[in-house]
Amino acid sequence: PANNAVAIIIGIQDYRRVSKAEFANNDARVFYDYAVRGLGVRPENIKLLVDQEADQVEVLSAFKNWLPLKTRKGLTDVYVFYSGHGLPSDDGSNLYMLPYGVDKQFLDRTAIKQSELIASLQAVSPRSVTMFMDACYSGQIRTGETLLASARPIAIQSKASSFPLNFNVISASAPDQLASSSPDLKHGVFSYFLMKGMEGEADMNKGGNITMVEMQSYSKVYVGKKAMSLNRTQVPQLAGDQSK
């Protein structure tokens, strides 16, 4: 067990007012086990929010109230896993994480800015932050339907400069691509191969540990192949320290 590690795990499949994000709650519940067994996070140091539990207030409370109580300045490694919908703002200046009760007509009031969550993570002064994001910002849902007609893909979340220095982020797809789900895998494609990689398959050089760049390289191959079988292109993105 890692004494100084905490995790916030969020999965939202059955949204209240927008289309489903297929298998997102499966992604979150299974990743909980990987956080415990693979990352060594103690169960009491994990906040798991699934479907209606992941409303705007509960998500913000996890980052702003629960997280500070669980972290030690300069010592704690923080892991964040999110599976669900993401959207850019109309003017492309912000990225949003969509909580359970989001309303597309009132996005600025019912969605959560990614920058606000990053600021909350920074505020606890962790040793490191590692984020796994199975969401896309292309304005589409996992089945390829349009989530919001006016949404335009943007590239903010794939740029290293968008995140603080001690942040390491691996996301499901390029900004203009779909983050697919798979009925036969019963998961988001990225989430499935992220967890298969954590079992050891991503240890490309057999060195006994898995670096961020090894995980990205592994997921690029297998996520790409699976997406291709669905007639899509999906390339996971990495920002941060490749050797982490």
Side-chain angles (χ1 to χ4, degrees):
N3 291 322
N4 287 307
V6 302
I8 296 175
I9 301 171
I10 300 168
I12 311 169
Q13 172 178 298
D14 297 312
Y15 281 86
R16 185 176 177 184
R17 298 183 180 92
V18 300
S19 301
K20 283 187 175 184
E22 285 190 331
F23 310 116
N25 48 14
N26 271 12
D27 295 341
R29 290 191 177 109
V30 177
F31 189 81
Y32 177 97
D33 294 332
Y34 282 78
V36 174
R37 290 164 32 213
L39 300 173
V41 187
R42 296 176 183 274
E44 63 268 25
N45 291 333
I46 300 177
K47 174 68 74 172
L48 174 65
L49 300 172
V50 174
D51 280 350
Q52 63 267 28
E53 299 168 348
D55 65 16
Q56 185 186 47
V57 172
E58 289 300 323
V59 172
L60 289 174
S61 178
F63 281 86
K64 295 177 181 292
N65 297 334
W66 180 84
L67 185 63
L69 296 174
K70 292 289 185 177
T71 53
R72 299 172 64 190
K73 186 175 180 179
L75 296 175
T76 302
D77 295 311
V78 179
Y79 297 96
V80 177
F81 176 91
Y82 174 64
S83 183
H85 290 321
L87 267 181
S89 60
D90 286 343
D91 63 2
S93 62
N94 289 302
L95 294 178
Y96 290 106
M97 191 196 86
L98 305 191
Y100 168 75
V102 70
D103 190 311
K104 291 185 288 187
Q105 296 182 32
F106 305 102
L107 199 62
D108 58 331
R109 294 190 179 186
T110 59
I112 300 172
K113 289 181 182 178
Q114 182 173 287
S115 58
E116 184 175 2
L117 299 183
I118 289 172
S120 297
L121 290 164
Q122 276 187 287
V124 300
S125 301
R127 182 169 71 170
S128 71
V129 174
T130 306
M131 301 176 72
F132 307 102
M133 307 295 286
D134 197 346
C136 65
Y137 297 89
S138 64
Q140 295 177 296
I141 62 175
R142 291 178 166 198
T143 55
E145 299 165 40
T146 300
L147 179 61
L148 189 63
S150 63
R152 292 172 296 175
I154 51 177
I156 295 174
Q157 92 283 5
S158 66
K159 295 179 181 176
S161 59
S162 300
F163 298 101
L165 287 176
N166 62 337
F167 277 55
N168 301 286
V169 183
I170 185 166
S171 53
S173 62
D176 59 345
Q177 295 172 350
L178 189 68
S180 302
S181 60
S182 168
D184 58 313
L185 299 179
K186 300 286 190 273
H187 282 287
V189 173
F190 170 73
S191 289
Y192 179 85
F193 286 108
L194 170 70
M195 291 185 277
K196 291 299 289 184
M198 287 176 67
E199 290 179 6
E201 290 188 13
D203 185 11
M204 311 294 265
N205 65 0
K206 305 302 178 187
N209 56 32
I210 299 168
T211 63
M212 292 294 287
V213 73
E214 282 181 316
M215 181 61 79
Q216 188 206 20
S217 298
Y218 168 82
S219 60
K220 261 187 176 181
V221 172
Y222 289 96
V223 170
K225 284 182 179 178
K226 188 63 181 179
M228 195 176 296
S229 75
L230 301 168
N231 295 314
R232 297 172 184 158
T233 301
Q234 183 175 340
V235 182
Q237 304 292 299
L238 174 64
D241 179 5
Q242 297 191 357
S243 65
K244 167 70 175 174

